[in-house]
Amino acid sequence: MMPSYFVAHGAPSLVIEQHEYTEFLKNLAANTPKPKAIVIFSAHWEQQVQTVSAVADTYRTIYDFGGFSDELYRMTYPAKGAPSISEQIQSLFAEHGIQSQLDGERGLDHGAWAILKLVYPDADIPVVALSVNRYLSNEQQYQIGAALAELREQDVLIIGSGGSVHNLRMVNWQGNGIDDWALAFDSWLQNKIELWDTEAMFNYRELAPYAKEAVPTSEHFIPLLIAMGTGDKTRQAKLLHRSYQLGNLSLSCWQF
């Protein structure tokens, strides 16, 4: 069965940075069976109805950021869409009582293309992008992932792209050390994920230390719950990488 991943996408500049996390991502494909398609949930595509990209040709690259190096704005990720898989996803959602809609026009935002460019730089694997909805319950987020689990048996790679600790107002621009509160939250998270304690995960805001600091808004956390949901049948999780930038910006990758 194809694994699924939660991947932290950090800042848009991640794609041109060189450090242990980018090296990890560049080697991730070598340790993963080549997928026939990639399904990716991006924290930077928010919709109140679950939306599934249905691009039939080549995606345009969305530069949904400002103030970065000119090099970033010249980058493209010309992946093709996979309309048949988009339609299958919509059918799976319908079977599980999840309302969804197709979008044949939107390109790939940096939450999707920056990660994919590091892992699969040739852009030779079809991609289906999916939105997130911060107004659903955490259990509903998990069930969205669970609804798509059978795609893993069809050589489809599912990725949730976000960040477990993602509070840009609290980053340490001096970058000295790792903040204790970020470590405390991520350590709690690791324990609950490895135990597959879904009750704790669904109630992390009330139970986890420093949850308000780590997750001031939920859109970057949601892809982790979705990715975890795709592993509901086997309930096995492995932390493949965790490091930090700017004191507390978590760069982690979970395999389910």
Side-chain angles (χ1 to χ4, degrees):
M1 182 184 293
M2 184 69 65
S4 56
Y5 295 118
F6 168 74
V7 181
H9 61 242
S13 56
L14 182 75
V15 71
I16 58 173
E17 295 169 4
Q18 294 184 5
H19 46 68
E20 59 177 320
Y21 184 55
T22 56
E23 287 305 306
F24 163 79
L25 291 177
K26 289 174 184 177
N27 290 310
L28 186 59
N31 300 305
T32 306
K34 186 170 182 178
K36 74 173 185 181
I38 299 167
V39 170
I40 185 164
F41 289 83
S42 171
H44 289 271
W45 186 13
E46 292 192 67
Q47 296 279 18
Q48 291 193 30
V49 174
Q50 178 63 63
T51 307
V52 183
S53 69
V55 170
D57 197 2
T58 302
Y59 282 96
R60 62 187 175 88
T61 304
I62 300 175
Y63 306 101
D64 52 332
F65 48 81
F68 288 89
S69 165
D70 289 345
E71 181 181 0
L72 283 178
Y73 301 95
R74 294 192 296 269
M75 286 188 169
T76 60
Y77 192 77
K80 302 286 187 181
S84 63
I85 294 178
S86 300
E87 292 172 2
Q88 183 183 1
I89 289 171
Q90 192 172 41
S91 295
L92 288 171
F93 282 150
E95 289 175 17
H96 289 81
I98 299 168
Q99 183 183 2
S100 66
Q101 61 188 13
L102 298 177
D103 183 322
E105 298 183 0
R106 193 178 191 275
L108 295 177
D109 60 65
H110 85 270
W113 70 259
I115 289 298
L116 294 178
K117 195 170 183 69
L118 286 167
V119 182
Y120 296 104
D122 295 332
D124 58 348
I125 300 172
V127 174
V128 177
L130 289 98
S131 66
V132 300
N133 179 2
R134 71 171 76 186
Y135 299 104
L136 300 179
S137 71
N138 292 327
E139 184 172 4
Q140 286 174 307
Q141 311 290 1
Y142 183 93
Q143 293 303 326
I144 286 171
L148 302 185
E150 70 179 66
L151 293 175
R152 299 175 57 188
E153 300 172 8
Q154 302 169 27
D155 298 327
V156 174
L157 175 63
I158 303 175
I159 299 175
S161 174
S164 60
V165 180
H166 190 276
N167 188 338
L168 300 184
R169 293 187 176 185
M170 293 187 70
V171 295
N172 179 357
W173 295 105
Q174 304 303 316
N176 297 322
I178 302 171
D179 292 342
D180 290 342
W181 63 267
L183 278 174
F185 178 80
D186 265 345
S187 295
W188 181 92
L189 202 62
Q190 180 177 353
N191 175 261
K192 302 310 177 187
I193 293 174
E194 290 176 344
L195 292 173
W196 212 273
D197 187 344
T198 53
E199 183 176 355
M201 288 295 292
F202 297 159
N203 294 284
Y204 76 91
R205 283 200 173 276
E206 293 74 35
L207 300 177
Y210 304 103
K212 292 181 180 179
E213 289 83 359
V215 189
T217 55
S218 63
E219 76 286 343
H220 279 76
F221 195 84
I222 288 168
L224 174 57
L225 294 168
I226 293 172
M228 188 176 179
T230 68
D232 184 68
K233 290 182 180 180
T234 56
R235 298 199 165 198
Q236 295 179 344
K238 184 178 181 180
L239 180 62
L240 300 183
H241 179 95
R242 186 168 67 207
S243 56
Y244 296 86
Q245 284 183 310
L246 304 175
N248 54 60
L249 184 61
S250 179
L251 299 177
S252 59
C253 179
W254 279 94
Q255 176 181 296
F256 300 103

